């Protein structure tokens, strides 16, 4: 949904979707709506060693184990080969810190805004630390909007 809205507003959208059925659904929605969304069939992660996705209680939820056939990549590596983003939207069912760790260089050097859904108190503390150089606004314990601190701030 967020990808469709952002593309409709004119943003360049790269959507990382490791589940083939979800990737196909997103491509179809983009096509129906005439939106230029580039779907990357890989998991954004903190390494490129691949993952195993273990299905959760619904088709939109998975747990992750390292190693496996599902391609993974870091956002740092992706941004080195594509135009770096101005904003990251992260919603990865409890692996938010792993995704942000794979974007450490991007967060430090390019300073994109971050909207992140957070799953669990421990994950929230990790996310707070990874976004330490940002002004963070938390909407309850499960969502943070973070923007780069202004110079001298």
């Amino acid at each position: 949904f967020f990808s469709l809205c952002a593309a409709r507003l004119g943003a360049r959208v790269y959507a990382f979707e490791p589940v083939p059925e979800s990737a196909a659904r997103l491509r179809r929605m983009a096509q129906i709506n005439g939106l230029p969304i580039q779907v990357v069939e890989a998991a954004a992660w903190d390494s490129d060693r691949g993952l195993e996705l273990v299905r959760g209680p619904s088709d939109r939820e998975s747990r992750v184990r390292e190693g496996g056939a599902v391609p993974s990549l870091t956002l740092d590596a992706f941004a080195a080969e594509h135009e770096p983003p101005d904003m990251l939207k992260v919603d990865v069912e409890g692996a938010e810190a792993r995704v942000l760790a794979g974007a450490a260089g991007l967060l430090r050097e390019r300073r994109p805004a971050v909207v992140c859904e957070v799953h669990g108190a421990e994950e929230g503390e990790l996310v707070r630390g990874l976004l330490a150089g940002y002004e963070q606004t938390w909407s309850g314990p499960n969502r943070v909007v973070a923007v780069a601190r202004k110079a001298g701030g």
Side-chain angles (χ1 to χ4, degrees):
F1 174 76
F2 188 84
S3 295
L4 296 172
C5 292
R8 173 90 52 217
L9 292 171
R12 178 186 327 263
V13 176
Y14 296 101
F16 299 87
E17 183 51 68
V19 178
E21 298 85 0
S22 297
R25 186 179 315 121
L26 180 54
R27 278 192 188 96
R28 180 73 180 130
M29 292 305 297
Q31 180 183 29
I32 288 169
N33 289 283
L35 299 172
I37 296 172
Q38 183 174 340
V39 179
V40 180
E41 280 196 55
W45 197 245
D46 64 359
S47 78
D48 62 358
R49 293 185 296 265
L51 303 171
E52 178 185 358
L53 298 178
V54 180
R55 295 278 180 174
S58 78
D59 68 341
R60 294 182 186 205
E61 295 178 86
S62 300
R63 292 287 174 222
V64 178
R65 289 189 201 136
E66 289 202 71
V70 175
S72 65
L73 54 78
T74 68
L75 293 178
D76 283 343
F78 188 84
E81 297 180 10
H82 298 82
E83 183 177 342
D86 294 321
M87 183 183 148
L88 301 176
K89 167 67 167 85
V90 181
D91 187 359
V92 291
E93 307 301 327
E96 298 81 15
R98 301 294 294 265
V99 172
L100 293 174
L106 182 64
L107 294 171
R108 184 178 53 255
E109 296 161 20
R110 299 298 298 205
R111 315 289 287 155
V114 178
V115 176
C116 185
E117 302 291 328
V118 180
H119 296 81
E122 184 178 330
E123 197 70 16
E125 288 307 309
L126 294 170
V127 168
R128 281 181 201 278
L130 289 162
L131 297 175
Y134 281 72
E135 293 291 332
Q136 300 177 32
T137 302
W138 286 79
S139 174
N142 299 351
R143 180 176 295 126
V144 62
V145 176
V147 294
R149 288 193 175 121
K150 295 185 184 204

